[in-house]
Amino acid sequence: MARPPHESWDCMLPGPPSRNNGGSADCHPSGLLAFPSSSSVVVVDSRSMQLVSVLPMPPPTATSSNNNTPAATSSSSSLSPFVTSVRWAPFPLPHDLLATNQHLLLAAGDRQGRIALFDFRLRSVLLWFECDSVLKPGIQDLCWVQARSDWVLASLSGPSLLSIWNASTGRCIWKYDVSPELFSCIRRDPFDYRHFCAIGLKGFLLSVMVHGDTEDDVVIKEFHIPNDSSELQKLERDASGAAASSPALAVFPLYIVRFAFSPLWEHIMFVIFPRELVVFDLQYETSLFAAALPRGCGKFLDVLPDPNSELLYCAHLDGRLSTWRRKEGEQVHMMCTMEELMPSIGTSVPSPSLLAVIICKSDSTLQCVGKLYSTGSRSSSFDMDLDNPFDFCDEPLSVYKTHLISISDDGKIWNWLLTSERTEDAQKDATNVGNGAGLGDVPVLETNTSDIDGTADLVKQPDCVTSIRNCSSYSTLNQIDLSPKIVLVGQLHLLSSTATMLAVPSPSLTATLARGGNGPAVAVPLVALGTQSGTIDIIDVSANAVAASFSVHNNTVRGLRWLGNSRLVSFSYTQVNEKTGGYINRLVVTCVRSGLNRKFRVLQKPERAPIRALRTSSSGRYLLILFRDAPVEVWAMTKSPIMLRSLALPFTVLEWTLPTAPRPVQNGPSRQASSSRDRTSVASVEASSTDSKATSTDEPQDDTSESFAFALVNGALGVFEVHGRRIRDFRPKWPSSSFVSADGLITAMAYRLPHVVMGDRSGNIRWWDVTTGQSSSFNTHREGIRRIKFSPVVAGDRSRGRIAVLFYDNTFSIFDLDSQDPLANSLLQSQFPGTLVLELDWLPLRTDKNDPLVLCIAGADSSFRLVEKSDKKTSYGPLPRAIKERFRPMPLCSPILLPTPHAVALRMILQLGVKPHWFNTCSTTRDKKHYLIRGTASSGGDLRSYMIDSPPVGDSVVPEMLLKVLEPYRKEGSILDDERARLYAAIVNKGSAVRFAFAAAIFGDSLEAIFWLQLRRAVNHLMNKLINKSPQKASVPASISELDDASMLSRITSKGKSIPGSRKRNAMDSGQLRLMAFEEEELWESANERIPWHEKLEGAEAIQNLVHELVSVGNLETAVSILLSTPPESPHFSTNALRAVALSSAVSRSLLELAVKVVAANMVRIDKSLSGTHLLCAVGRYQEACSQLQDAGCWTDAATLAATHLKGSDYARVLQRWADHVLHNEYNIWRALILYVAAGALPEALAALREAKLADTAAMFIVACREIHVEIISDLVDSDDESKSQTMAKQLSLPGLDPENEDVIAVGEFYEQYQRKLVHLCMDSQPAFD
């Protein structure tokens, strides 16, 4: 398939990242990993570990914020600085088809304080943020924060400046300088996207809440985390002369302080100092736990909490990863494992360093889907593959899996799979418990069959759903039974070091394959790069990847050339002694196929002069070794290289002739030579090597002879011919004497029979025809010339005189010597955008005259790039033409990269339900036996037969049209990879809600995925309330109803003290679903588990908070004992005494209620400790207490109190008010929707979706709610009794979602219009890959 125009020769390989890049990395929820490398941003698919694209940061001269800065005149001023921070914008795939906003946006900050907003799909900068162009404070870190309905960008710049930027205009809306503190990193709160924190190296912590996009809407609070900063004080004294605008990562690169919010516990954050781990509670403003590193452990690099379990991963500077497990019932963490993230391979010196570690949360969200909805029985119609590591339900030993990416400074990206498995004894015990509880033959880790508290839902869960709030039989096991393991599952190798040499194979027809044989060597799409670290990287330009990397030398590779197309020769040298001199030269021949290195010309003693350069003939048979101030050696590169001769002449440059070019086309008007300049058209000379040599020698010609041109120190020129072991004068026809200039030493040369092109240190370019003696020259008006390279020529080309010229100022130009005025028609490149050019050469892969010329560039930023050259311009981006598909070892299955209409179409197909075998492919890029998903037979020509059922909403014809649009991707196998396709096959028949969750997770919207996963439980909660109100309640077994009421009464009684930890949570009990907790039991358990963390804290504020938590969970006895223990001299004594009396009294009703209400109102007015709330609880006024808590902004506390004491419509009112706050103040629509559903406010939920312009989601919401409702009704009533089922369905109908409802009808009609618009957009968009 032809590539779209924007994908032709889009080839750039980045160099390795370094400490100068700040250790930054960010993983998009869809699985795209972004990290900085030198002055570029690298984007990698974290699942297949393939390079997707590289975004070079434009140089400062083109990006000044006010566009008034004059262009720089020197090349160094236009260099792009190091990129120091990257962060994906949290914009989901759009639901509004008419919206203009993009969803793959990436913010990047650099060392000069610039912040760019990239559109990844366009590979260009959308917006530059207005930075300080005078001080240029380097960017330390970036973070996206929600402000009302829009997102703003927070940045740390310089040593101590925090700024917030408007992401639409690029203007700064708020600044805060905390000097003399030194900021380190910034993170967003996963429970409230308006809230973020920034931490400093000394333990300074700044908490920021953004309520809007003006300066007055930002609220801050400062804290201090105690730590040992003696090492930092010493470093500050040593770095007293550092630049005032330099960020901490530049001044103290190895002193790292970072933190991460807990994804499971609100207000909890994990902080790492170089040798200390701290658990800090933002609500209590104190540290709950601190642990110092044991001896022998390297300093901390980063801290990563597992998104689905109570494990904490800490990366260390020495390349290791420690795993910490939370102790049951406490916020105490213990180190349980230590693993290597940098396996020692070979003996590289210096050893590579670990720069960044990041968790791929996209896999964690998909794991929630698989864990919740995969069945434990193997009798499913879907035949699972037991060897597949992603088959969740067939792995009874595994508790969870986490994908972790590590990045090292040798250009390697490592993909690790962290698993936690139960020990065999624990698994045996769990199996016995499961069998005793009546589970099936195959237990499932997360399947719950009993309730610890003895409560039970009035509505039974379907068999295929595993309820989170119920407890598994496995949850009776302690987490200490888990056995963490780490396995390397993938690796991506980029360039290993800064490139010093570039070599392109240009074998002649006389070149033969390595290791003998008579087969001719052909041009291969390989480029060799020698690096500073001594390795040689082989780049496959057709795949834009490093095909192989060989560790050849112990220091910088100083010369590199191809011998044919399968061998390389390289050299390096080391100086023995600076005083006495002497060098050890190391010459190595490397076989690209086998990787074997063979040294030759090994001497016992150091030499007087080092090797200056290598030159190999196009056949690969001969090698010239140039020394500094010493003779040139000529070698025959046989299996055992042989030196033929030593040439004791003062050479400056030497170049072998390139393979002979074919004759040019002669159908155009010929240009006559200018007699005044003695210029001859290069195109008018015969191209045959044999013919040209016949005019200069009478000897018979041999195809095996090769020639090289040279220049001497005095400016003399010559051509020698090598034939076998003989070296003889080529006897060229000499140019006129005026051709040789005495004012410029020749520094560069290119030779292709019959032309020799030379450049000198004065910028002059001369060319000479060795057969006729005709010559010409011109001045480039540039600095000295370092390299000259002839472009490859194919049959039909009009010109053979194109050359690329690299100057000493690291700029380059392209000239056509066949033109009337080469200088006037040249393609002058004053600077390759953003970097210096170290080496260049042409890519010799042209086979047709219409193919473009492609130039290989090795940049000073360690990158390797391809530049296309057309007749009119040189393109740094691709040209509009079709080329062969880039080769990939496996398809790039990242649906987020599809054109937006096609991505939306795929999301709709996944939501409506497609049969698993639709993902099968006959493409040659995939091995059929490994990728075949076993299921039903392949369907016929009707694409609608691929759908699992007729769509319950919308136009029934649309799915067929969308499948037709997606057919090219399906054939290429680039829709879903094998693992995710198997997961989809496992859940496709488990209901609409789980399909919606899967589709949201695939496209990176984790909050939407969690919403769909929680929807079934929210509807269950609503139906329980409706059943309790309904006359049909009597039909429910009395034992269940009585048990529910009894358990609720026993929970809220104040006679007995609740025992924290009485229920042991499973490691995967809720995971990310805690972000949307709403049920009474969940809220109560979560609050109850926090209490032991704070019992040992001292101080008046800590005691007030603890009493508040105890009252919220109904533990009045403990609250009274704490209040009575207040000493008389305390300023809180009178208040505490009053509360203690009120809580402990058993006064009956009216007078006490009136008095307490008055006192409570006064206390709320004058006291911020919410004491009045406790008095209201003492007299049973829980609804008013919840209202007071909500008025004070304590929304979670109000919900916890309501979960403990309220039920029915009273609890629903608390939830609905909470939902309004979350929607209109926190702008978290998905969490608000769950609360609306649980409160029974379905019309409000539907209205919120329509107001947010989520037309497709509104339709899917109605479908999912109705489907769950039908399942619940069918479970409550015998399936044979249809009349009773219909009666109950009417009595227990979902409020606001009746088919006759006007809003519901409008949603359906709008969804049909949405589908038709989507079809038109898809038809207008061409398929695009990568």
Side-chain angles (χ1 to χ4, degrees), residues 932-1080:
L932 176 64
I933 299 178
R934 292 180 291 277
T936 57
S938 179
S939 300
D942 187 1
L943 294 178
R944 283 179 294 182
S945 61
Y946 280 118
M947 306 303 294
I948 61 172
D949 203 350
S950 177
V953 64
D955 193 336
S956 60
V957 180
V958 168
E960 181 181 10
M961 303 178 72
L962 297 182
L963 288 174
K964 185 177 181 180
V965 169
L966 297 173
E967 187 65 14
Y969 305 107
R970 189 189 77 89
K971 289 182 177 180
E972 289 292 321
S974 58
I975 292 183
L976 292 183
D977 57 68
D978 185 52
E979 295 173 352
R980 290 186 289 185
R982 288 182 179 276
L983 176 59
Y984 183 79
I987 56 91
V988 66
N989 293 314
K990 303 299 175 62
S992 299
V994 65
R995 292 199 303 271
F996 302 164
F998 179 89
I1002 286 295
F1003 288 98
D1005 198 337
S1006 56
L1007 281 181
E1008 182 184 353
I1010 296 173
F1011 161 73
W1012 293 118
L1013 292 178
Q1014 287 282 67
L1015 181 61
R1016 181 181 296 275
R1017 301 177 56 210
V1019 175
N1020 282 340
H1021 182 273
L1022 172 61
M1023 294 300 294
N1024 277 322
K1025 184 179 70 172
L1026 295 177
I1027 291 174
N1028 285 327
K1029 288 183 178 181
S1030 171
Q1032 296 291 334
K1033 181 178 179 181
S1035 64
V1036 181
S1039 59
I1040 298 180
S1041 179
E1042 292 171 1
L1043 184 59
D1044 185 51
D1045 294 339
S1047 62
M1048 183 63 71
L1049 290 173
S1050 66
R1051 186 202 303 170
I1052 65 174
T1053 180
S1054 61
K1055 298 297 182 182
K1057 178 180 178 180
S1058 63
I1059 303 175
S1062 59
R1063 167 183 169 177
K1064 295 182 180 179
R1065 286 181 176 269
N1066 189 4
M1068 275 291 296
D1069 195 24
S1070 336
Q1072 299 179 68
L1073 302 186
R1074 295 190 199 179
L1075 291 171
M1076 296 186 185
F1078 63 89
E1079 288 189 299
E1080 298 96 322

Side-chain angles (χ1 to χ4, degrees), residues 304-306 309-313 323-325 336 400 420 479 484:
L304 305 167
D306 193 288
S309 69
E310 296 281 8
L311 292 180
L312 199 62
Y313 306 110
T323 304
W324 301 67
R325 181 166 42 224
C336 53
Y400 68 91
S420 186
Q479 291 183 23

Side-chain angles (χ1 to χ4, degrees), residues 652-655 709-712 715-719 734-735 739-741 744-751 755-761 763-770 774-780 785-790 803 805 817:
T652 58
V653 290
L654 289 167
E655 288 295 340
F710 61 86
L712 303 180
L717 307 175
V719 180
W734 302 103
F739 179 76
V740 179
S741 174
L745 183 69
I746 295 178
T747 55
M749 179 180 288
Y751 180 27
H755 304 111
V756 177
V757 182
M758 294 153 289
D760 60 28
R761 61 185 176 186
N764 298 307
I765 292 180
R766 303 177 176 87
W767 66 99
W768 158 45
D769 188 324
V770 298
Q774 295 175 335
S775 62
S776 186
S777 65
F778 67 93
N779 192 289
T780 61
I785 297 172
R786 217 174 85 202
R787 295 278 188 274
I788 300 176
K789 298 291 182 179
F790 268 115
I803 58 172
V805 179
L817 302 182

Side-chain angles (χ1 to χ4, degrees), residues 509-777:
L509 294 178
T510 58
T512 57
L513 299 176
R515 300 193 174 204
N518 296 321
V522 296
V524 291
L526 300 178
V527 176
L529 290 180
T531 67
Q532 286 184 352
S533 62
T535 60
I536 297 177
D537 293 334
I538 308 298
I539 300 173
D540 183 353
V541 295
S542 64
N544 192 26
V546 177
S549 183
F550 306 112
S551 180
V552 181
H553 299 273
N554 294 325
N555 51 10
T556 303
V557 178
R558 301 181 182 273
L560 179 65
R561 286 291 184 272
W562 284 88
L563 297 170
N565 65 359
S566 60
R567 291 191 303 164
L568 290 164
V569 59
S570 59
F571 83 89
S572 64
Y573 64 77
T574 55
Q575 189 171 2
V576 178
N577 193 313
E578 294 183 1
K579 294 183 179 179
T580 61
Y583 297 85
I584 298 177
N585 294 307
R586 176 184 170 92
L587 282 156
V588 181
V589 174
T590 302
C591 178
V592 175
R593 287 189 174 91
S594 65
L596 295 178
N597 298 317
R598 177 174 294 182
K599 293 188 290 184
F600 69 100
R601 198 184 176 278
V602 180
L603 303 180
Q604 300 298 324
K605 295 181 179 180
E607 298 182 79
R608 178 178 59 87
I611 298 177
R612 180 160 58 97
L614 300 178
R615 296 292 184 266
T616 57
S617 64
S618 57
S619 68
R621 296 178 177 181
Y622 302 108
L623 169 69
L624 298 177
I625 304 176
L626 285 73
F627 293 85
R628 188 185 304 167
D629 303 326
V632 171
E633 296 180 359
V634 184
W635 286 71
M637 299 307 293
T638 57
K639 187 174 183 180
S640 297
I642 304 170
M643 190 177 79
L644 302 180
R645 187 172 174 181
S646 178
L647 304 177
L649 292 173
F651 296 104
T652 58
V653 290
L654 289 167
E655 288 295 340
W656 290 93
T657 181
L658 292 173
T660 306
R663 295 186 180 187
V665 176
Q666 297 293 338
N667 55 0
S670 60
R671 175 173 53 86
Q672 296 181 354
S674 172
S675 58
S676 62
R677 299 186 58 186
D678 191 25
R679 181 184 303 245
T680 302
S681 170
V682 178
S684 65
V685 184
E686 294 296 329
S688 171
S689 168
T690 304
D691 293 345
S692 63
K693 284 187 286 186
T695 62
S696 60
T697 178
D698 296 333
E699 297 182 9
Q701 298 301 312
D702 193 323
D703 290 339
T704 61
S705 63
E706 297 180 82
S707 59
F708 63 89
F710 61 86
L712 303 180
V713 175
N714 60 3
L717 307 175
V719 180
F720 283 166
E721 187 178 54
V722 182
H723 179 72
R725 291 175 174 266
R726 292 178 297 169
I727 300 176
R728 57 194 177 191
D729 190 353
F730 187 77
R731 300 179 186 177
K733 187 169 183 180
W734 302 103
S736 62
S737 59
S738 62
F739 179 76
V740 179
S741 174
D743 60 348
L745 183 69
I746 295 178
T747 55
M749 179 180 288
Y751 180 27
R752 181 167 64 197
L753 281 171
H755 304 111
V756 177
V757 182
M758 294 153 289
D760 60 28
R761 61 185 176 186
S762 300
N764 298 307
I765 292 180
R766 303 177 176 87
W767 66 99
W768 158 45
D769 188 324
V770 298
T771 62
T772 65
Q774 295 175 335
S775 62
S776 186
S777 65

Side-chain angles (χ1 to χ4, degrees), residues 466-532:
T466 57
S467 177
I468 288 294
R469 65 181 176 85
N470 295 334
C471 185
S472 169
S473 58
Y474 291 151
S475 65
T476 59
L477 299 175
N478 198 330
Q479 291 183 23
I480 200 68
D481 299 322
L482 300 180
S483 174
K485 294 183 180 180
I486 183 171
V487 180
L488 180 64
V489 294
Q491 186 189 73
L492 175 63
H493 190 239
L494 303 177
L495 300 182
S496 57
S497 181
T498 301
T500 57
M501 299 301 299
L502 182 148
V504 175
S506 300
S508 65
L509 294 178
T510 58
T512 57
L513 299 176
R515 300 193 174 204
N518 296 321
V522 296
V524 291
L526 300 178
V527 176
L529 290 180
T531 67
Q532 286 184 352

Side-chain angles (χ1 to χ4, degrees), residues 297 408 729 827 1088 1207:
C297 293
S408 54
D729 190 353
L827 297 167
N1088 206 41
K1207 58 182 179 179

Side-chain angles (χ1 to χ4, degrees), residues 274-293:
R275 293 196 173 276
E276 192 174 9
L277 171 65
V278 178
V279 180
F280 190 79
D281 192 325
L282 283 172
Q283 184 181 19
Y284 277 73
E285 304 178 9
T286 187
S287 299
L288 302 180
F289 167 75
L293 271 178

Side-chain angles (χ1 to χ4, degrees), residues 908-914 947-948 951-952 959 995 1260 1311 1315:
M908 184 176 292
I909 289 297
L910 295 176
Q911 289 174 338
L912 296 177
V914 64
M947 306 303 294
I948 61 172
R995 292 199 303 271
M1260 297 300 103
Y1311 183 67
Q1315 285 184 314

